[in-house]
Amino acid sequence: MNILSLDRQITILVNNFSRNSIIFDSSFQILANDYFFPVISALSLFFLWFSGGNQNIRLLNQKLVLAGLLSIIFSNLVVFLFNLIWERSRPYEIYTDSINLLFYPSTDPSFPSNPVMVCSGIFIVLFKFKKSFGIIGLFLTVIFGISKIYVGVAFISDVFIAIILGVILGFLCYKFIFFFSRYFDTLFKWIRIFGLA
């Protein structure tokens, strides 16, 4: 059994739990929305930008926000590059007889899942702010990914690889910001002049 065959079987298995309970179906439809978790993660960055009891803590938090924003940019770039190489169709497009589509049809390629990668990148950065916050965020990202499989718009590999890549990109962006920390200190001094930090 090859990897793609296993990917297909697990995806169909998870998706076939759908249409058995209207409560589960409705819940997963809400959770699979491309705006629900990404907006929560973006609002987390917004909150972090203005948090901190003193100027030093606030500066540290704002560097984390910058790392989170960089991870969003690079996540989208990586997804774009993957899509140039492989325009993977969605499960409901390939396995029309086996997949229950409970969501609106997506128009972009399936691999890797863009919003899942963005969320995992943000929450691994926020893990550096507060471990419990990052762990909860990553757990919610996994739920987000499972919901996309459940409603039939993503393969398990789309989600799994997106989480791994998001975590790696978020970590690298964090390291980049803090490696060049002194340059960003100067940037934030100028931002504070305009009352934005």
Side-chain angles (χ1 to χ4, degrees), residues 34-167:
D34 286 338
Y35 300 103
F36 188 71
F37 284 113
V39 166
I40 289 173
S41 58
L43 287 175
S44 300
L45 290 178
F46 181 78
F47 163 77
L48 187 59
W49 181 265
F50 295 103
S51 68
N54 60 55
Q55 187 171 324
N56 289 334
I57 294 173
R58 196 159 43 251
L59 178 62
L60 176 66
N61 291 346
Q62 288 167 349
K63 287 178 185 176
L64 288 172
V65 171
L66 195 54
L69 293 174
L70 267 183
S71 77
I72 293 172
I73 292 167
F74 282 107
S75 292
N76 283 292
L77 179 61
V78 166
V79 169
F80 174 75
L81 293 174
F82 266 106
N83 292 167
L84 288 178
I85 298 166
W86 184 26
E87 286 192 28
R88 187 182 198 186
S89 298
R90 300 276 173 174
Y92 64 85
E93 296 173 319
I94 302 171
Y95 307 109
T96 53
D97 297 332
S98 308
I99 293 289
N100 299 315
L101 179 62
L102 302 180
F103 208 59
Y104 62 84
S106 301
T107 56
D108 58 333
S110 176
F111 183 86
S113 177
N114 194 352
V116 172
M117 190 189 298
V118 166
C119 288
S120 56
I122 290 172
F123 284 119
I124 200 65
V125 169
L126 294 179
F127 179 83
K128 297 294 185 179
F129 163 66
K130 192 171 185 181
K131 287 184 179 179
S132 60
F133 195 75
I135 289 169
I136 291 169
L138 288 171
F139 175 75
L140 292 176
T141 301
V142 170
I143 298 297
F144 179 37
I146 291 170
S147 68
K148 290 192 149 302
I149 302 164
Y150 183 94
V151 299
V153 297
F155 287 96
I156 190 165
S157 59
D158 301 335
V159 170
F160 182 69
I161 298 299
I163 290 172
I164 290 173
L165 290 174
V167 166

Side-chain angles (χ1 to χ4, degrees), residues 1-57:
M1 181 182 296
N2 62 33
I3 293 174
L4 288 176
S5 175
L6 183 63
D7 185 32
R8 175 184 66 82
Q9 288 184 17
I10 295 173
T11 300
I12 291 172
L13 178 68
V14 173
N15 175 258
N16 282 343
F17 282 107
S18 64
R19 298 199 189 271
N20 292 318
S21 165
I22 193 165
I23 294 172
F24 275 109
D25 290 354
S26 299
S27 299
F28 278 110
Q29 284 171 331
I30 292 168
L31 294 173
N33 191 300
D34 286 338
Y35 300 103
F36 188 71
F37 284 113
V39 166
I40 289 173
S41 58
L43 287 175
S44 300
L45 290 178
F46 181 78
F47 163 77
L48 187 59
W49 181 265
F50 295 103
S51 68
N54 60 55
Q55 187 171 324
N56 289 334
I57 294 173

